[in-house]
Amino acid sequence: MLISTDVDRAVEVIRAGGLVAIPTETVYGLAADATNAAAVKRIFEVKGRPVDHPLIVHLASADQIDGWASSVPPTARRLIEVAWPGPLTIILPRADGVLDEVTGSLDTVALRVPAHPSASELLERVGVGLAAPSANRFGAVSPTSAEHVFHDLGDRLDPARDLILDGGSCPIGVESTIVDFVNDPPQVLRAGGVPVEDIRRLLDGVLANASGPSRASGMLASHYAPSCEVRLVDDADDAFARRARTPNSEILDLTDDLVAYAHDLYARLRDADARGVGTVIAVMPAPNGLGHAIRDRLLKAAAPRPD
Ligand code: TXA
Ligand code: MG
């Protein structure tokens, strides 16, 4: 069976160089031993992801950071003390020996300590970092359940050597916030589960704007996209008006509960695809708290797509 709740089996799979789709508090990741180049290469094959897109290394605790980063600025230490384990990824200069397959040959590395009991247990038991992108096909909506992973990658994974570790539905539902500490001041590269307002407060307000050429693939204009068309509107009235003139459309509006909006966003888009909905009319949340991440993902889902 490809889907299982058996952490013992997940440990075996990682040790044997296989792939384990892991539940995290944000979305499911497709994990391999980050010190095993052949295993990491298979992540890219299975996802259909360009090999120069770097991966996040997931760690059991902040104590492991020195094996991966050559230096850690005090500002980064301050942030991770508060935010780890949790939905925060930090970019640091990489340590010697970190595989090019993991970093996309960059001289930096992305690190995160996830907060999910199954992922934490697996990370502690294997004792190595786990390189993992979101466990979706490249460009598609991230998976927030084991069934989503199976839908996307079930026919590309090998039940004899891979596993989807079922940890239920991901509590947050959008990816981690990525903060780049290589440049000074630090810069948010991707809005995510930790609100940018919290990060700014913890860093005493010193944070660069997320502008300029992006170095995170999640910042491609079109990404996180379902098959259906996504149209964005500012409020419920606009949504009703647009639905009235759009055949086979439905409204997505959880703006009165941003936690629920983040949690349900990807599942709702996937479900619309499964039901053959032509157009999802999504109401944009206000730009604060989790609203930043939800707006970012909706904008990407609605962006013009490459042919
Ligand atoms: O919540 C998350 O972050 C999930 C879970 C599984 O941890 N992971 C995730 O991974 O969203 P992925 O690969 O789908 O997105 C990670 C982003 C990519 O846009 C990648 O380009 C960027 O992080 N990234 C990774 N390493 C980087 C680096 N050294 N410098 C800049 N960006 C980096
Ligand atoms: Mg992704």
Side-chain angles (χ1 to χ4, degrees):
M1 268 299 283
L2 199 50
I3 302 186
S4 160
T5 56
D6 185 356
V7 180
D8 292 340
R9 172 76 188 135
V11 172
E12 279 172 23
V13 167
I14 291 294
R15 288 196 178 134
L19 303 183
V20 177
I22 55 168
T24 81
E25 77 280 35
T26 57
V27 301
Y28 276 72
L30 184 62
D33 176 348
T35 64
N36 179 334
V40 173
K41 277 188 191 147
R42 258 191 82 228
I43 294 177
F44 292 89
E45 286 165 25
V46 166
K47 268 199 69 136
R49 173 170 167 128
V51 289
D52 60 344
H53 282 197
L55 304 177
I56 297 172
V57 178
H58 298 69
L59 305 175
S61 86
D63 299 341
Q64 295 177 330
I65 207 171
D66 293 328
W68 297 92
S70 61
S71 65
V72 188
T75 44
R77 294 250 181 234
R78 203 180 331 145
L79 188 58
I80 63 181
E81 241 168 58
V82 179
W84 278 359
L88 170 77
T89 296
I90 59 169
I91 311 283
L92 294 174
R94 73 161 158 179
D96 289 344
V98 179
L99 294 175
D100 281 340
E101 285 79 1
V102 171
T103 66
S105 301
L106 296 174
D107 50 12
T108 57
V109 65
L111 301 173
R112 145 165 147 82
V113 175
H116 188 288
S118 310
S120 305
E121 187 186 342
L122 176 62
L123 282 162
E124 262 158 39
R125 288 181 53 190
V126 294
V128 291
L130 294 179
S134 51
N136 50 284
R137 276 175 298 105
F138 179 67
V141 170
S142 295
T144 55
S145 73
E147 292 73 26
H148 294 165
V149 179
F150 187 82
H151 174 269
D152 278 19
L153 304 179
D155 61 349
R156 301 175 178 205
L157 293 169
D158 177 354
R161 56 173 177 162
D162 305 318
L163 187 77
I164 299 172
L165 183 60
D166 189 350
S169 122
C170 300
I172 295 177
V174 290
E175 297 82 352
S176 59
T177 305
I178 303 180
V179 185
D180 180 354
F181 281 96
V182 173
N183 298 299
D184 193 22
Q187 180 182 21
V188 173
L189 297 187
R190 179 177 73 183
V194 180
V196 65
E197 294 89 343
D198 293 1
I199 293 173
R200 184 167 292 116
R201 190 160 24 83
L202 287 161
L203 298 180
D204 299 326
V206 185
L207 201 58
N209 285 326
S211 61
S214 163
R215 284 162 299 138
S217 77
M219 301 235 170
L220 294 177
S222 169
H223 206 76
Y224 309 107
S227 303
C228 60
E229 199 176 2
V230 177
R231 293 281 174 199
L232 307 179
V233 293
D234 288 329
D235 57 39
D237 288 344
D238 288 354
F240 289 123
R242 190 176 269 272
R243 188 179 58 184
R245 56 176 202 271
T246 313
N248 191 20
S249 65
E250 69 180 29
I251 294 172
L252 174 58
D253 181 8
L254 295 164
T255 44
D256 56 359
D257 183 348
L258 294 187
V259 171
Y261 210 154
H263 180 267
D264 292 357
L265 175 63
Y266 292 146
R268 292 279 292 262
L269 293 175
R270 283 173 177 268
D271 182 55
D273 276 349
R275 287 180 292 109
V277 172
T279 304
V280 168
I281 299 162
V283 182
M284 289 289 259
N288 49 56
L290 276 174
H292 295 291
I294 298 164
R295 289 169 66 93
D296 173 72
R297 304 310 186 270
L298 284 174
L299 281 164
K300 273 156 193 152
R305 305 191 185 155
D307 320 309

